[in-house]
Short mmCIF file of all heavy atoms in Angstrom, two decimals:
data_model
loop_
_atom_site.label_atom_id
_atom_site.label_comp_id
_atom_site.label_asym_id
_atom_site.label_seq_id
_atom_site.Cartn_x
_atom_site.Cartn_y
_atom_site.Cartn_z
N PRO A 1028 -8.96 -10.47 -14.20
CA PRO A 1028 -9.21 -11.29 -15.39
C PRO A 1028 -8.17 -11.13 -16.49
O PRO A 1028 -8.03 -12.02 -17.34
CB PRO A 1028 -10.59 -10.81 -15.87
CG PRO A 1028 -11.23 -10.22 -14.67
CD PRO A 1028 -10.11 -9.61 -13.88
N SER A 1029 -7.44 -10.02 -16.50
CA SER A 1029 -6.42 -9.83 -17.54
C SER A 1029 -5.07 -10.42 -17.15
O SER A 1029 -4.14 -10.45 -17.94
CB SER A 1029 -6.27 -8.34 -17.87
OG SER A 1029 -5.59 -7.64 -16.84
N GLY A 1030 -4.95 -10.88 -15.88
CA GLY A 1030 -3.72 -11.53 -15.44
C GLY A 1030 -2.87 -10.72 -14.47
O GLY A 1030 -1.85 -11.22 -13.99
N ALA A 1031 -3.25 -9.48 -14.19
CA ALA A 1031 -2.48 -8.66 -13.25
C ALA A 1031 -2.73 -9.12 -11.82
O ALA A 1031 -3.88 -9.33 -11.43
CB ALA A 1031 -2.83 -7.19 -13.41
N ARG A 1032 -1.66 -9.25 -11.06
CA ARG A 1032 -1.78 -9.69 -9.67
C ARG A 1032 -1.75 -8.48 -8.74
O ARG A 1032 -1.02 -7.52 -8.96
CB ARG A 1032 -0.63 -10.64 -9.32
CG ARG A 1032 -0.73 -11.99 -9.99
CD ARG A 1032 0.45 -12.89 -9.63
NE ARG A 1032 0.20 -14.26 -9.98
CZ ARG A 1032 0.47 -14.80 -11.17
NH1 ARG A 1032 1.01 -14.03 -12.11
NH2 ARG A 1032 0.21 -16.07 -11.42
N VAL A 1033 -2.53 -8.56 -7.65
CA VAL A 1033 -2.55 -7.50 -6.65
C VAL A 1033 -2.98 -8.11 -5.33
O VAL A 1033 -3.61 -9.19 -5.30
CB VAL A 1033 -3.52 -6.37 -7.10
CG1 VAL A 1033 -4.97 -6.81 -7.00
CG2 VAL A 1033 -3.27 -5.09 -6.33
N ASN A 1034 -2.61 -7.47 -4.25
CA ASN A 1034 -2.99 -7.94 -2.92
C ASN A 1034 -4.07 -7.03 -2.34
O ASN A 1034 -4.05 -5.81 -2.55
CB ASN A 1034 -1.77 -7.94 -1.99
CG ASN A 1034 -0.66 -8.84 -2.48
OD1 ASN A 1034 -0.85 -10.03 -2.67
ND2 ASN A 1034 0.51 -8.27 -2.72
N LEU A 1035 -4.98 -7.62 -1.59
CA LEU A 1035 -6.01 -6.87 -0.89
C LEU A 1035 -5.64 -6.85 0.59
O LEU A 1035 -5.28 -7.88 1.16
CB LEU A 1035 -7.38 -7.52 -1.08
CG LEU A 1035 -7.82 -7.77 -2.53
CD1 LEU A 1035 -9.19 -8.43 -2.56
CD2 LEU A 1035 -7.83 -6.47 -3.34
N TRP A 1036 -5.73 -5.67 1.21
CA TRP A 1036 -5.26 -5.52 2.60
C TRP A 1036 -6.35 -4.90 3.48
O TRP A 1036 -6.80 -3.78 3.22
CB TRP A 1036 -4.01 -4.65 2.65
CG TRP A 1036 -3.46 -4.47 4.03
CD1 TRP A 1036 -3.57 -3.36 4.83
CD2 TRP A 1036 -2.70 -5.43 4.78
NE1 TRP A 1036 -2.93 -3.57 6.03
CE2 TRP A 1036 -2.38 -4.83 6.03
CE3 TRP A 1036 -2.24 -6.72 4.51
CZ2 TRP A 1036 -1.64 -5.49 7.00
CZ3 TRP A 1036 -1.51 -7.38 5.48
CH2 TRP A 1036 -1.21 -6.77 6.70
N GLN A 1037 -6.73 -5.64 4.52
CA GLN A 1037 -7.62 -5.11 5.55
C GLN A 1037 -6.77 -4.76 6.75
O GLN A 1037 -6.13 -5.61 7.36
CB GLN A 1037 -8.67 -6.16 5.93
CG GLN A 1037 -9.62 -5.71 7.03
CD GLN A 1037 -10.57 -6.82 7.45
OE1 GLN A 1037 -10.86 -7.74 6.67
NE2 GLN A 1037 -11.06 -6.76 8.67
N ALA A 1038 -6.72 -3.50 7.09
CA ALA A 1038 -5.81 -3.03 8.14
C ALA A 1038 -6.17 -3.58 9.50
O ALA A 1038 -7.34 -3.66 9.88
CB ALA A 1038 -5.82 -1.51 8.18
N GLY A 1039 -5.11 -3.97 10.24
CA GLY A 1039 -5.22 -4.28 11.65
C GLY A 1039 -4.39 -3.24 12.37
O GLY A 1039 -4.71 -2.06 12.38
N GLN A 1040 -3.25 -3.68 12.91
CA GLN A 1040 -2.34 -2.72 13.53
C GLN A 1040 -1.62 -1.87 12.49
O GLN A 1040 -1.13 -0.79 12.81
CB GLN A 1040 -1.32 -3.46 14.40
CG GLN A 1040 -1.91 -4.12 15.64
CD GLN A 1040 -0.85 -4.84 16.47
OE1 GLN A 1040 0.31 -4.95 16.06
NE2 GLN A 1040 -1.25 -5.34 17.62
N SER A 1041 -1.54 -2.35 11.25
CA SER A 1041 -0.85 -1.62 10.19
C SER A 1041 -1.80 -1.26 9.07
O SER A 1041 -2.52 -2.11 8.54
CB SER A 1041 0.30 -2.46 9.62
OG SER A 1041 0.86 -1.84 8.48
N ILE A 1042 -1.79 0.03 8.69
CA ILE A 1042 -2.58 0.45 7.53
C ILE A 1042 -1.83 0.23 6.23
O ILE A 1042 -2.40 0.25 5.15
CB ILE A 1042 -2.99 1.93 7.63
CG1 ILE A 1042 -1.73 2.83 7.63
CG2 ILE A 1042 -3.86 2.19 8.85
CD1 ILE A 1042 -2.03 4.29 7.36
N GLY A 1043 -0.49 0.04 6.34
CA GLY A 1043 0.36 -0.07 5.16
C GLY A 1043 1.38 1.05 5.15
O GLY A 1043 2.11 1.24 6.13
N SER A 1044 1.42 1.82 4.09
CA SER A 1044 2.39 2.92 3.97
C SER A 1044 1.91 4.12 4.79
O SER A 1044 0.85 4.68 4.50
CB SER A 1044 2.57 3.33 2.51
OG SER A 1044 3.07 2.26 1.73
N VAL A 1045 2.71 4.50 5.78
CA VAL A 1045 2.36 5.65 6.62
C VAL A 1045 2.80 6.95 5.97
O VAL A 1045 2.17 7.98 6.12
CB VAL A 1045 2.99 5.50 8.02
CG1 VAL A 1045 2.74 6.73 8.88
CG2 VAL A 1045 2.45 4.25 8.71
N ARG A 1046 3.90 6.92 5.23
CA ARG A 1046 4.41 8.12 4.55
C ARG A 1046 4.39 7.88 3.04
O ARG A 1046 4.92 6.88 2.56
CB ARG A 1046 5.82 8.46 5.04
CG ARG A 1046 6.35 9.79 4.51
CD ARG A 1046 7.72 10.12 5.07
NE ARG A 1046 7.68 10.44 6.48
CZ ARG A 1046 7.46 11.66 6.98
NH1 ARG A 1046 7.26 12.68 6.15
NH2 ARG A 1046 7.45 11.87 8.28
N VAL A 1047 3.81 8.81 2.31
CA VAL A 1047 3.69 8.69 0.85
C VAL A 1047 3.88 10.08 0.22
O VAL A 1047 3.93 11.10 0.91
CB VAL A 1047 2.31 8.12 0.44
CG1 VAL A 1047 2.13 6.70 0.95
CG2 VAL A 1047 1.17 9.01 0.95
N ASN A 1048 4.00 10.07 -1.11
CA ASN A 1048 3.94 11.30 -1.91
C ASN A 1048 5.04 12.31 -1.59
O ASN A 1048 4.85 13.52 -1.76
CB ASN A 1048 2.58 12.00 -1.74
CG ASN A 1048 1.42 11.12 -2.17
OD1 ASN A 1048 1.60 10.15 -2.90
ND2 ASN A 1048 0.23 11.42 -1.69
N GLU A 1049 6.20 11.83 -1.15
CA GLU A 1049 7.36 12.70 -0.98
C GLU A 1049 8.60 11.89 -1.31
O GLU A 1049 8.53 10.66 -1.47
CB GLU A 1049 7.41 13.30 0.42
CG GLU A 1049 7.54 12.31 1.54
CD GLU A 1049 7.59 13.04 2.90
OE1 GLU A 1049 6.60 13.67 3.29
OE2 GLU A 1049 8.64 12.96 3.54
N PRO A 1050 9.76 12.53 -1.48
CA PRO A 1050 10.93 11.81 -1.98
C PRO A 1050 11.22 10.50 -1.26
O PRO A 1050 11.25 10.44 -0.03
CB PRO A 1050 12.05 12.83 -1.78
CG PRO A 1050 11.38 14.15 -1.98
CD PRO A 1050 10.03 13.97 -1.33
N GLY A 1051 11.41 9.44 -2.07
CA GLY A 1051 11.69 8.11 -1.55
C GLY A 1051 10.46 7.27 -1.29
O GLY A 1051 10.58 6.08 -1.00
N CYS A 1052 9.27 7.87 -1.40
CA CYS A 1052 8.03 7.19 -1.03
C CYS A 1052 7.16 6.90 -2.25
O CYS A 1052 7.27 7.58 -3.27
CB CYS A 1052 7.24 8.04 -0.05
SG CYS A 1052 8.12 8.45 1.47
N PRO A 1053 6.25 5.92 -2.15
CA PRO A 1053 5.31 5.69 -3.24
C PRO A 1053 4.47 6.93 -3.49
O PRO A 1053 4.03 7.60 -2.54
CB PRO A 1053 4.44 4.53 -2.73
CG PRO A 1053 5.23 3.90 -1.62
CD PRO A 1053 6.03 4.99 -1.01
N ILE A 1054 4.25 7.24 -4.76
CA ILE A 1054 3.42 8.40 -5.11
C ILE A 1054 2.32 8.05 -6.10
O ILE A 1054 1.31 8.74 -6.18
CB ILE A 1054 4.30 9.55 -5.66
CG1 ILE A 1054 3.49 10.84 -5.81
CG2 ILE A 1054 4.98 9.14 -6.98
CD1 ILE A 1054 4.32 12.06 -6.12
#
């Protein structure tokens, strides 16, 4: 409602990010 856009993801073969929280990765 405030205007921020985001995507919703239901995993199939891909869950999304497999590696996170370390250098170079989303944290």
Side-chain angles (χ1 to χ4, degrees):
S1029 73
R1032 289 179 166 88
V1033 72
N1034 300 302
L1035 306 179
W1036 182 257
Q1037 178 184 335
Q1040 292 180 353
S1041 173
I1042 63 165
S1044 299
V1045 175
R1046 187 177 290 272
V1047 297
N1048 301 340
E1049 61 179 66
C1052 302
I1054 189 170

